[in-house]
Amino acid sequence: MAEEAPADYSLSNPDTLTKYKTAAQISQKVLEEVKKLCTEGTKILEICQKGDKILDDEVAKVFKGKKISKGISHPCTVSPSIYVTPYTPLVSDAEEAGTVLKADEVVKIQLGAQIDGFGAIVCDTVVVGGNEVTGRAADLMLATHYANELLLRLMVPPGLLATGTEEETKKAQAQKPYSQSKITNLLEKVVKSYDCNLVENTTCWLFGRNEIEDKKKIILAPGEGIKGEGLAELGEVWGVEMGVSTGSGKVKSLPNRPTLHRRTTTTYGLKRPSSRATLSEIKKRFGTFPFSLRQLEDERAGKVGIVECVRGGVVRQYEVIGSTDGEPVSRLFTTVAITKNGLQRLAVPSTPNLEQYKSDKKITDEEVLKILEQPLAKPSSGKPKNKKKKKKSAKKPAANVAKKEAEEEDDDEDDDDEDDDDDE
């Protein structure tokens, strides 16, 4: 009897992209709901709890009756101004549980869903109560937006979107991709235009099934002795992170208790019954995706049981990191797929209203401006589809990049799906 072929979890399998997109749609929907909760005086703990509940409810609505895993790929976290890493306080830590959002605070919201092990994580930054944002906060938000738009374009493999003759296409494909040091150099030009800096060791990861930190990573503004490994290639899914600060961008560990954890592939004979019970619950409910101790059935017991799990290396704890100089930090996180049609944004922060940010600074570097004008994907094929007409925008090209790309994204994804069907 012939052996069954191994399951195909690559993007060449249309089901894989469908599952990524489903998870991404849930992540984006919940992100918008959580952003509405981020008002002055609201407790961060309550926002995180409500965010997780909405995630669970939305995930339960899809792939009903299917024997596939699904759930949260990243718990809802809400990080105050100086925090760099995702922050999620515990109910049992009274002081942190009482932490509330402040007016005009720069807040990072991160969360994600997963379908069959294909996780889509997204992070957005908001200014609490900021209808019109001015001063350094406006500089920070604009620097982060344009740096993120540039980074996405720098991740597109050379020649993938090339047009023209066969010779011109081959020439474009033969170009060397941007090195990690070149990527950091170009991004620094953007953020320094707004008198900001990249956050040290900001990391983009290759995604895989049940894996959000796979074998390749791009590290922006690496610290001493730190370096990335590899670049984005066709057929891959990446988590693209952008971190910017109005300060130096240098980071340090904060005194807060680590509350965000993730199971590793390490095996270790746990001795304490409480540790074994905690690990068993982690495996059953979260797999290898990040989770918060507050999500455990018994938070207090989990705080005890997790200690040996971390010491034995079977669970990794995420240290709480913040800016060394107390300056505000903003972050964006986008889950993207590199397909034959270009870069597709799967789970993406909402397109900002750039008119909301009032700054007297702007990007003047010609190389950067030229890259920002480049598309992320090939134009739609023009196949007849019933689509609503898009309203034209009168904004300047540089300020309109993200909005234009976001409007065209659905068209490009539809074309890619149809092309995949044709290939079957």
Side-chain angles (χ1 to χ4, degrees):
M1 187 173 179
E3 293 184 5
E4 286 188 19
D8 180 11
Y9 296 119
S10 70
L11 288 186
S12 61
N13 180 352
D15 288 344
T16 297
L17 194 55
T18 296
K19 291 169 182 174
Y20 267 123
K21 287 181 178 180
T22 303
Q25 288 165 0
I26 292 172
S27 299
Q28 289 187 192
K29 180 178 181 179
V30 178
L31 174 64
E32 294 307 309
E33 292 299 314
V34 172
K35 286 166 69 174
K36 296 174 185 177
L37 303 174
C38 293
T39 57
E40 181 183 359
T42 306
K43 290 183 179 179
I44 289 178
L45 173 61
E46 293 178 357
I47 298 173
C48 292
Q49 290 173 320
K50 290 178 181 178
D52 285 348
K53 176 66 166 58
I54 302 172
L55 272 171
D56 282 330
D57 290 345
E58 292 299 322
V59 168
K61 296 176 183 178
V62 300
F63 287 88
K64 292 182 177 180
K66 304 287 185 180
K67 292 184 178 181
I68 61 174
S69 66
K70 57 181 182 177
I72 296 176
S73 64
H74 194 287
C76 181
T77 61
V78 179
S79 305
S81 185
I82 71 166
Y83 287 63
V84 173
T85 51
Y87 175 69
T88 171
L90 304 182
V91 177
S92 56
D93 288 345
E95 184 176 348
E96 290 197 35
T99 305
V100 299
L101 296 181
K102 301 172 184 176
D104 301 322
E105 187 169 21
V106 176
V107 176
K108 287 78 65 180
I109 306 161
Q110 183 161 318
L111 53 84
Q114 64 90 5
I115 304 295
D116 198 20
F118 300 108
I121 299 173
V122 64
C123 175
D124 203 356
T125 296
V126 298
V127 179
V128 178
N131 293 320
E132 181 175 288
V133 182
T134 60
R136 295 297 285 143
D139 294 339
L140 178 62
M141 297 296 280
L142 288 170
T144 309
H145 166 71
Y146 286 119
N148 188 59
E149 288 299 312
L150 184 70
L151 176 57
L152 293 175
R153 283 156 177 77
L154 297 177
M155 294 190 68
V156 178
L160 185 61
L161 306 180
T163 57
T165 65
E166 183 177 349
E167 183 179 346
E168 290 172 334
T169 302
K170 286 182 178 180
K171 184 178 179 181
Q173 293 172 343
Q175 292 179 353
K176 290 184 178 181
Y178 292 101
S179 66
Q180 295 206 18
S181 60
K182 178 63 174 177
I183 291 174
T184 291
N185 177 263
L186 288 169
L187 292 172
E188 284 177 338
K189 290 183 178 181
V190 174
V191 298
K192 288 185 183 300
S193 297
Y194 295 92
D195 197 20
C196 294
N197 284 290
L198 296 174
V199 172
E200 183 179 25
N201 297 328
T202 295
T203 306
C204 305
W205 285 97
L206 172 68
F207 279 10
R209 185 168 183 261
N210 295 313
E211 182 55 77
I212 59 167
E213 295 180 9
D214 218 332
K215 297 178 182 179
K216 296 198 293 185
K217 58 186 176 182
I218 296 172
I219 300 181
L220 311 174
E224 187 175 351
I226 305 296
K227 65 177 184 178
E229 304 168 24
L231 296 169
E233 297 180 74
L234 182 63
E236 295 178 342
V237 173
W238 280 74
V240 181
E241 182 178 27
M242 175 50 59
V244 180
S245 173
T246 52
S248 67
K250 299 298 182 182
V251 300
K252 66 176 181 179
S253 294
L254 299 178
N256 309 65
R257 169 199 291 271
T259 62
L260 193 65
H261 296 74
R262 180 172 178 249
R263 183 166 66 87
T264 70
T265 56
T266 300
T267 56
Y268 177 79
L270 298 172
K271 298 177 176 59
R272 296 175 178 271
S274 61
S275 305
R276 293 196 293 271
T278 298
L279 182 60
S280 177
E281 182 181 354
I282 292 169
K283 287 181 177 179
K284 181 179 179 181
R285 295 184 57 199
F286 311 113
T288 55
F289 288 104
F291 64 93
S292 169
L293 292 178
R294 63 177 168 74
Q295 293 175 281
L296 298 176
E297 292 179 3
D298 187 332
E299 182 184 295
R300 290 184 181 275
K303 287 167 69 175
V304 175
I306 203 70
V307 175
E308 187 184 7
C309 293
V310 172
R311 189 182 300 130
V314 295
V315 170
R316 168 192 171 188
Q317 69 178 21
Y318 290 87
E319 300 297 327
V320 184
I321 305 296
S323 60
T324 58
D325 47 20
E327 286 291 313
V329 170
S330 66
R331 287 179 61 250
L332 297 177
F333 194 99
T334 311
T335 302
V336 305
I338 310 296
T339 74
K340 59 190 176 185
N341 284 343
L343 183 145
Q344 287 188 24
R345 290 189 260 207
L346 301 178
V348 56
S350 58
T351 303
N353 174 13
L354 299 178
E355 300 298 326
Q356 177 185 3
Y357 308 122
K358 306 300 181 182
S359 172
D360 58 358
K361 302 177 179 65
K362 63 180 181 179
I363 302 168
T364 57
D365 186 274
E366 290 298 327
E367 183 180 14
V368 168
L369 290 172
K370 186 176 180 181
I371 297 173
L372 281 173
E373 292 296 332
Q374 295 175 4
L376 286 173
K378 295 176 182 177
S380 56
S381 62
K383 294 178 182 179
K385 299 185 184 76
N386 294 323
K387 293 185 177 178
K388 294 180 181 179
K389 292 183 179 179
K390 307 288 192 295
K391 291 184 178 179
K392 293 183 179 180
S393 172
K395 292 182 180 180
K396 296 178 182 179
N400 195 35
V401 171
K403 186 172 183 178
K404 182 178 179 182
E405 292 292 348
E407 288 177 343
E408 294 177 349
E409 203 84 346
D410 290 338
D411 293 358
D412 297 332
E413 290 178 6
D414 290 340
D415 291 337
D416 195 59
D417 289 342
E418 291 184 11
D419 289 343
D420 285 336
D421 292 340
D422 294 339
D423 292 341
E424 287 299 297

